[in-house]
Amino acid sequence: PEYVEPVIPDPVLGFDHALGAKSTVWVNGDEKEGDSKLCDGDEFTAFETPWGSGWKEVVATIDLGQSRNITAIQWRSGDANWIEKVDVSVSSDGQTFTPVQGLQGFVMKKKWGINSMPWPGPVEGRYVRLRFHNDGQESNVIRLPVSLMIYDGVENDTVEMPQVGEQL
């Protein structure tokens, strides 16, 4: 009963450092209560605005807890087809964000399941900011992907089997 199955890293990408990370969400420039639900590991939860009109953008910021050499980002779409594009930027201090090359206006529409962003190569940062938008056009609702996965490769990953009970 004490055994908990350990998280196994992806053999190529490594551990998902977004899993359990702190995240915040801003809607049309206003900070909202709670988080973006991108890092909770639950593919049945997702942040969404109430149904209505006037929704232009949602900005989610992920705090990885320490600076990482990010090598890949993936997302699980869920019902996020209401959003056309995302702009991705990174920061080491949470104040000054640098746009990631090739990921400004990246089209997410009609991409279902688990998808990979065309990551340009290792990018150093502690904070990852994603601005979900439709080029300024208003939407009736904005639904974010259900999961975001952030990787830094396998070089610094180790997997140890937990010791649970007497060795026989």
Side-chain angles (χ1 to χ4, degrees):
E2 296 174 14
Y3 180 72
V4 175
E5 192 169 319
V7 176
I8 304 296
D10 181 276
V12 175
L13 301 174
F15 278 109
D16 170 14
H17 295 289
L19 186 60
K22 182 181 181 223
S23 67
T24 59
V25 64
W26 293 69
V27 179
N28 289 352
D30 296 324
E31 186 173 15
K32 299 295 179 189
E33 294 283 331
D35 66 29
S36 66
K37 299 182 184 177
L38 289 168
C39 305
D40 63 4
D42 186 348
E43 61 184 83
F44 299 105
T45 62
F47 178 85
E48 66 179 73
T49 61
W51 189 267
S53 62
W55 306 116
K56 291 188 176 182
E57 70 177 17
V58 171
V59 177
T61 304
I62 314 304
D63 179 357
L64 298 174
Q66 69 182 58
S67 188
R68 299 202 175 271
N69 207 14
I70 302 167
T71 57
I73 291 186
Q74 294 180 328
W75 82 93
R76 183 183 305 271
S77 62
D79 191 21
N81 215 23
W82 294 88
I83 276 297
E84 297 269 337
K85 299 178 181 177
V86 66
D87 302 333
V88 182
S89 55
V90 296
S91 172
S92 59
D93 61 6
Q95 302 297 316
T96 305
F97 284 84
T98 304
V100 175
Q101 180 182 356
L103 288 174
Q104 304 308 298
F106 175 69
V107 177
M108 298 179 73
K109 191 165 178 80
K110 297 187 179 180
K111 295 181 180 173
W112 304 108
I114 296 178
N115 297 274
S116 295
M117 292 185 179
W119 204 254
V123 176
E124 185 77 22
R126 173 179 173 167
Y127 301 88
V128 177
R129 180 165 285 170
L130 300 106
R131 177 180 166 257
F132 300 93
H133 62 93
N134 289 331
D135 285 331
Q137 295 180 11
E138 292 185 1
S139 297
N140 290 328
V141 67
I142 295 178
R143 294 181 178 138
L144 297 189
V146 296
S147 296
L148 183 74
M149 295 79 84
I150 301 175
Y151 303 99
D152 68 353
V154 296
E155 293 79 19
N156 60 352
D157 295 340
T158 58
V159 177
E160 294 181 17
M161 295 305 290
Q163 297 297 319
V164 289
E166 185 178 347
Q167 291 281 338
L168 299 179

Coordinates of all heavy atoms in Angstrom, one line a residue, residues 16 18-21 35-47 76-79 144-149:
D16 N 8.8 15.9 -17.6 CA 7.9 17.0 -17.8 C 8.0 17.9 -16.6 O 7.5 17.6 -15.6 CB 6.5 16.5 -18.0 CG 5.5 17.6 -18.1 OD1 5.8 18.8 -18.2 OD2 4.3 17.3 -18.0
A18 N 6.8 20.9 -16.4 CA 5.6 21.7 -16.1 C 4.6 21.0 -15.2 O 3.8 21.7 -14.5 CB 4.8 22.0 -17.5
L19 N 4.7 19.7 -15.1 CA 3.8 18.9 -14.2 C 3.9 19.4 -12.8 O 5.0 19.3 -12.2 CB 4.1 17.4 -14.3 CG 3.1 16.5 -13.6 CD1 1.7 16.7 -14.1 CD2 3.6 15.1 -13.7
G20 N 2.9 20.0 -12.2 CA 2.9 20.5 -10.9 C 3.4 21.9 -10.7 O 3.4 22.4 -9.6
A21 N 3.9 22.5 -11.8 CA 4.4 23.8 -11.7 C 3.3 24.9 -11.4 O 2.2 24.6 -11.7 CB 5.1 24.2 -13.0
D35 N -5.4 29.2 -11.2 CA -4.3 29.0 -12.2 C -4.8 28.6 -13.5 O -6.0 28.5 -13.7 CB -3.3 27.9 -11.7 CG -3.9 26.5 -11.6 OD1 -4.8 26.2 -12.3 OD2 -3.4 25.8 -10.7
S36 N -3.9 28.4 -14.5 CA -4.3 28.1 -15.9 C -4.7 26.7 -16.1 O -5.2 26.3 -17.2 CB -3.2 28.5 -16.8 OG -2.1 27.6 -16.6
K37 N -4.5 25.8 -15.1 CA -4.8 24.4 -15.1 C -4.0 23.7 -16.2 O -4.3 22.5 -16.6 CB -6.3 24.1 -15.3 CG -7.2 24.7 -14.2 CD -8.6 24.4 -14.4 CE -9.5 25.0 -13.3 NZ -10.9 24.8 -13.5
L38 N -3.0 24.3 -16.7 CA -2.1 23.6 -17.7 C -1.2 22.6 -17.1 O -0.6 21.8 -17.8 CB -1.3 24.7 -18.5 CG -2.1 25.6 -19.5 CD1 -1.3 26.7 -20.0 CD2 -2.6 24.8 -20.7
C39 N -0.9 22.7 -15.8 CA 0.2 21.9 -15.2 C -0.3 21.0 -14.2 O 0.4 20.4 -13.4 CB 1.2 22.9 -14.6 SG 1.9 24.1 -15.7
D40 N -1.7 20.8 -14.1 CA -2.2 19.9 -13.0 C -2.2 18.4 -13.3 O -2.5 17.6 -12.5 CB -3.6 20.3 -12.6 CG -4.6 20.2 -13.8 OD1 -4.3 19.7 -14.9 OD2 -5.8 20.6 -13.6
G41 N -1.8 18.0 -14.6 CA -1.7 16.6 -14.9 C -3.0 16.0 -15.2 O -3.1 14.8 -15.4
D42 N -4.1 16.7 -15.1 CA -5.4 16.2 -15.3 C -6.0 16.5 -16.7 O -6.2 17.7 -17.0 CB -6.4 16.7 -14.2 CG -7.7 16.1 -14.2 OD1 -8.1 15.4 -15.2 OD2 -8.5 16.3 -13.3
E43 N -6.1 15.5 -17.6 CA -6.5 15.8 -18.9 C -8.1 16.1 -19.0 O -8.6 16.3 -20.1 CB -6.1 14.7 -19.9 CG -6.7 13.4 -19.6 CD -6.2 12.3 -20.5 OE1 -5.0 11.8 -20.3 OE2 -6.8 12.0 -21.5
F44 N -8.7 16.1 -17.9 CA -10.2 16.4 -17.8 C -10.5 17.8 -17.3 O -11.6 18.1 -17.1 CB -10.9 15.3 -17.1 CG -10.7 13.9 -17.7 CD1 -9.9 13.0 -17.1 CD2 -11.4 13.6 -18.9 CE1 -9.7 11.8 -17.7 CE2 -11.2 12.4 -19.4 CZ -10.4 11.4 -18.9
T45 N -9.4 18.6 -17.0 CA -9.7 19.9 -16.5 C -9.0 20.9 -17.5 O -7.9 20.6 -18.1 CB -9.1 20.2 -15.1 OG1 -7.7 20.0 -15.2 CG2 -9.7 19.3 -14.1
A46 N -9.6 22.1 -17.7 CA -9.0 23.1 -18.5 C -9.6 24.4 -18.2 O -10.7 24.5 -17.8 CB -9.2 22.8 -20.0
F47 N -8.8 25.5 -18.3 CA -9.2 26.8 -18.0 C -10.1 27.3 -19.2 O -9.7 27.0 -20.3 CB -8.1 27.8 -17.8 CG -8.5 29.2 -17.6 CD1 -8.9 29.6 -16.3 CD2 -8.7 30.1 -18.7 CE1 -9.3 30.9 -16.1 CE2 -9.1 31.4 -18.5 CZ -9.4 31.8 -17.2
R76 N -1.6 19.1 -24.9 CA -2.7 18.2 -25.2 C -3.9 19.2 -25.4 O -4.2 19.9 -24.5 CB -3.0 17.3 -24.1 CG -4.1 16.3 -24.3 CD -4.4 15.4 -23.1 NE -3.3 14.6 -22.7 CZ -2.9 13.4 -23.1 NH1 -3.6 12.8 -24.1 NH2 -1.9 12.8 -22.6
S77 N -4.5 19.1 -26.6 CA -5.5 20.1 -27.0 C -6.8 20.2 -26.2 O -7.3 21.2 -25.9 CB -5.7 20.0 -28.5 OG -6.3 18.8 -28.7
G78 N -7.4 19.0 -25.9 CA -8.7 19.1 -25.2 C -9.7 19.8 -26.2 O -9.7 19.5 -27.4
D79 N -10.5 20.7 -25.6 CA -11.4 21.4 -26.4 C -11.0 22.8 -26.7 O -11.7 23.8 -26.6 CB -12.8 21.4 -25.8 CG -13.9 21.9 -26.7 OD1 -13.7 21.9 -27.9 OD2 -14.9 22.4 -26.2
L144 N -8.4 26.9 -23.0 CA -7.0 26.6 -23.1 C -6.8 25.1 -23.3 O -7.7 24.3 -22.9 CB -6.2 27.0 -21.8 CG -6.2 28.5 -21.6 CD1 -5.2 28.8 -20.4 CD2 -5.8 29.3 -22.8
P145 N -5.7 24.7 -23.7 CA -5.4 23.2 -23.8 C -5.5 22.6 -22.4 O -5.4 23.3 -21.4 CB -3.9 23.2 -24.3 CG -3.7 24.4 -25.0 CD -4.6 25.5 -24.3
V146 N -5.7 21.3 -22.3 CA -5.8 20.7 -21.0 C -4.5 20.4 -20.3 O -4.4 20.3 -19.1 CB -6.6 19.3 -21.1 CG1 -8.0 19.6 -21.5 CG2 -5.9 18.3 -22.0
S147 N -3.4 20.3 -21.1 CA -2.1 20.1 -20.5 C -1.0 20.8 -21.3 O -1.1 20.9 -22.5 CB -1.8 18.6 -20.4 OG -2.6 17.9 -19.6
L148 N 0.1 21.1 -20.6 CA 1.3 21.7 -21.2 C 2.4 20.9 -20.7 O 2.5 20.7 -19.4 CB 1.4 23.2 -20.9 CG 2.6 23.9 -21.6 CD1 2.3 24.1 -23.1 CD2 2.9 25.2 -20.9
M149 N 3.3 20.4 -21.5 CA 4.5 19.7 -21.1 C 5.7 20.4 -21.5 O 5.9 20.8 -22.7 CB 4.5 18.3 -21.7 CG 3.3 17.4 -21.2 SD 1.7 17.7 -22.0 CE 1.9 16.8 -23.5

